[in-house]
Amino acid sequence: MLIMSATATVVGGEVEAESIDKMKAQLEGKTFRYQEVSGIGLENGITRRDPSDIIRVGETYYVWYTKVDHAKLPRNFLHLKTSGYVGTIWYATSTDEGRTWTEQGQALGLGKKGAFDSFAVFTPNIVKFGGKYYLYYTGVKPTNEDKFFFENNSTTDFTAIGAAVSDSPDGPFTRVSEQPALEVGPRASEEKAKSAFDSYRVDDAALLVRDFDGDGDEDVWLYYKGRNIDHGRRGPLFTKMGVAVADRPESEHVRLNQGKAILDKSHEVMIWPWHEGIGAYASLTKTIEYAPDGLDFTSQPLGVKVVPKPVAPACFREDLTRPVDEGKLISWGISMKNPGGPSPFLIRFELVDE
């Protein structure tokens, strides 16, 4: 169940305080319930992980995810079989709100030799913008191009976020550019100085369509997790969420909040429109948080504990195909089970009354 464990500090006036109370009231007595699914569930020798948010087109629901076929991996890649670092992006469809799925095939393969995404593409997410479907994803290139191998060494194996586009959710998806939509932040140039929170990894995109600059035109908000190169192999314990914005997916994505993180302890990124603001799941604290402006999650922390916690969750979001001014609480989605192996798979969750 969701355990109410934190009291909001009112620092922004009555409107903000009322918003926080309203959020907490909606979560009172709610719990996450999990269900096995067919089509993208447990399959020995197959990794399926890191689902996208779910969209509905007509009467069909779509989800994208990372897939690895263990039998097709070279022997020296097998230690990475349960991770996304040897994966490509696949997709599946459902007509019964995600209870049964039909795997449709690969949605995006590897980039060209030498490109930022030439070794693996994984952790996808989706958004409809300007009548087209944009598939955002994480890309990595090999540590050593000649040996074509990925070390995951916490020093030089940087990631970047790319985007591909299609007229249909069924594809084909083609890359918007050979260059990433978002690269890692700056590394400290002086001894004892701090590198950016996202100086080693940017990953796990989550999208929002909303007017940012008040010009009346919709913009793309790219929420993502960042990992600091200063933390080395302990980095996953300190990942944080950041956000960048672009006037369209083909444009430059500019970091907001002066390039600083907007939410600590957020190793897995799930966001959604909620009332006038944005809800988020912070996986390391196992809490649901809220930002009235989509940026400030910390002045008035919601701090509602999630028990039992989902792993790499993604939710059904109507706003990803039809932007909304005011959102509602999530109802269901897809998350991951058994991420450590031997065959990670996807399950369904619902947010229900206890």
Side-chain angles (χ1 to χ4, degrees), residues 132-319:
K132 296 181 181 293
Y133 295 87
Y134 289 87
L135 185 68
Y136 282 69
Y137 64 94
T138 305
V140 294
K141 59 183 179 180
T143 311
N144 185 306
E145 193 74 52
D146 293 331
K147 294 182 179 180
F148 200 70
F149 187 74
F150 180 75
E151 292 180 358
N152 194 20
N153 58 27
S154 301
T155 305
T156 60
D157 286 321
F158 300 101
T159 60
I161 293 175
V165 61
S166 174
D167 292 328
S168 165
D170 292 294
F173 283 90
T174 58
R175 284 165 169 81
V176 166
S177 170
E178 296 296 323
Q179 301 303 313
L182 191 73
E183 297 184 88
V184 295
R187 184 173 184 175
S189 57
E190 300 178 6
E191 188 177 354
K192 294 185 178 180
K194 293 182 180 181
S195 301
F197 83 96
D198 55 357
S199 52
Y200 177 54
R201 291 278 164 84
V202 290
D203 188 5
D204 213 11
L207 291 314
L208 174 74
V209 175
R210 182 170 288 185
D211 185 5
F212 169 70
D213 49 17
D215 64 358
D217 294 327
E218 294 173 339
D219 302 296
V220 178
W221 299 50
L222 168 59
Y223 290 82
Y224 66 96
K225 77 177 182 187
R227 179 173 160 186
N228 191 332
I229 196 166
D230 298 343
H231 292 149
R233 294 195 177 279
R234 299 182 70 238
L237 298 174
F238 304 102
T239 47
K240 302 178 180 182
M241 188 170 78
V243 65
V245 70
D247 58 11
R248 58 193 183 97
E250 293 87 352
S251 303
E252 180 185 5
H253 291 67
V254 178
R255 285 169 167 83
L256 301 182
N257 198 38
Q258 300 178 323
K260 298 177 182 178
I262 60 173
L263 183 61
D264 290 348
K265 305 291 186 179
S266 185
H267 186 70
E268 298 157 353
V269 178
M270 181 173 73
I271 64 101
W272 65 93
W274 196 10
H275 290 270
E276 76 281 0
I278 299 299
Y281 170 60
S283 62
L284 295 181
T285 54
K286 306 176 188 177
T287 58
I288 289 178
E289 303 294 348
Y290 178 73
D293 61 355
L295 293 171
D296 184 6
F297 289 93
T298 59
S299 293
Q300 300 174 74
L302 194 62
V304 176
K305 285 285 186 181
V306 175
V307 180
K309 64 167 282 190
V311 178
C315 52
F316 168 56
R317 287 178 53 192
E318 293 180 302
D319 70 286

Side-chain angles (χ1 to χ4, degrees), residues 50-190:
D50 307 319
S52 72
D53 288 313
I54 299 96
I55 63 170
R56 181 175 59 200
V57 181
E59 299 303 316
T60 303
Y61 297 85
Y62 288 79
V63 68
W64 287 259
Y65 47 90
T66 309
K67 183 179 178 180
V68 180
D69 186 336
H70 304 176
K72 294 182 179 179
L73 292 178
R75 185 182 298 272
N76 61 337
F77 288 5
L78 285 175
H79 67 293
L80 296 171
K81 66 184 181 182
T82 62
S83 77
Y85 298 121
V86 284
T88 56
I89 296 169
W90 289 57
Y91 82 110
T93 57
S94 170
T95 56
D96 60 359
E97 293 194 326
R99 293 175 177 83
T100 60
W101 294 90
T102 301
E103 188 166 77
Q104 299 292 349
Q106 182 174 278
L108 191 71
L110 303 182
K112 295 178 180 178
K113 183 178 180 180
F116 76 95
D117 55 358
S118 60
F119 191 80
V121 289
F122 56 102
T123 55
N125 222 320
I126 194 74
V127 68
K128 187 178 182 182
F129 188 90
K132 296 181 181 293
Y133 295 87
Y134 289 87
L135 185 68
Y136 282 69
Y137 64 94
T138 305
V140 294
K141 59 183 179 180
T143 311
N144 185 306
E145 193 74 52
D146 293 331
K147 294 182 179 180
F148 200 70
F149 187 74
F150 180 75
E151 292 180 358
N152 194 20
N153 58 27
S154 301
T155 305
T156 60
D157 286 321
F158 300 101
T159 60
I161 293 175
V165 61
S166 174
D167 292 328
S168 165
D170 292 294
F173 283 90
T174 58
R175 284 165 169 81
V176 166
S177 170
E178 296 296 323
Q179 301 303 313
L182 191 73
E183 297 184 88
V184 295
R187 184 173 184 175
S189 57
E190 300 178 6

